[in-house]
Amino acid sequence: MALDQSFVGRSYPPTEPYEVGREKIREFAEAVGDANPAYTDAEAAKALGHPDVIAPPTFVFAITFKAAGQVVADPQLGLDYSRVVHGDQKFAYNRPVRAGDRLTVTSTIEKIRSMAGNEVLDIRGDVRDQDGEHVVTAWTKLVARAAEEA
């Protein structure tokens, strides 16, 4: 079943704040194998002009993908998540994510299209800090694979 095009432009309420911790940043940097000292050493980050350690660029994926769950779970949209694969991801930063940030994400459906029987859903996640400053935008592309013929 095709997704409802009238959902394009629909935004969902901001998420509850996610507090970015130094330990979470360190764990993420280790998990992705990035040894940049700005991710683990506050003094190294300060030497680069940051007030505290900063997060690797893909760190926000975890919170923006979780926020996109509001879209995925919307029963009116009609997305069959059992058929969904992650198609693409990109980020545009205004500034790095820093330890101590309290981030919220507002998800918006930017595009819905059908391709070869698949439904492609583009979701934009606008990330703001505790002061309302725009930190980063993340774009997530989800592909709902076509049902297999019987």
Side-chain angles (χ1 to χ4, degrees):
M1 180 172 81
L3 298 177
D4 186 345
Q5 288 289 325
S6 72
F7 277 68
V8 173
R10 181 176 288 194
S11 291
Y12 292 76
T15 60
E16 290 295 315
Y18 173 88
E19 188 163 345
V20 179
R22 284 183 182 163
E23 186 64 13
K24 289 286 187 187
I25 292 172
R26 183 191 63 75
E27 289 171 349
F28 186 86
E30 287 178 359
V32 298
D34 196 328
N36 184 332
Y39 303 152
T40 57
D41 180 348
E43 293 309 312
K46 287 176 184 174
L48 295 172
H50 304 290
D52 205 332
V53 295
I54 59 172
T58 56
F59 179 86
V60 296
F61 174 76
I63 62 172
T64 57
F65 194 74
K66 182 177 180 181
Q70 292 177 300
V71 176
V72 169
D74 187 335
Q76 294 176 333
L77 178 61
L79 182 66
D80 179 358
Y81 194 70
S82 71
R83 308 203 62 77
V84 170
V85 295
H86 185 240
D88 192 22
Q89 188 70 49
K90 62 184 177 178
F91 305 95
Y93 275 86
N94 285 334
R95 69 158 174 84
V97 169
R98 304 183 283 237
D101 279 341
R102 291 178 48 81
L103 304 175
T104 59
V105 183
T106 301
S107 295
T108 301
I109 298 174
E110 283 203 325
K111 191 185 313 182
I112 298 172
R113 63 191 182 286
S114 295
M115 292 175 41
N118 301 313
E119 295 292 319
V120 182
L121 178 66
D122 292 333
I123 303 168
R124 184 184 77 237
D126 294 306
V127 181
R128 297 190 177 280
D129 69 9
Q130 60 279 359
D131 298 321
E133 178 187 353
H134 181 252
V135 177
V136 59
T137 297
W139 288 271
T140 302
K141 185 180 301 294
L142 301 178
V143 180
R145 297 169 290 132
E148 296 176 9
E149 299 285 328

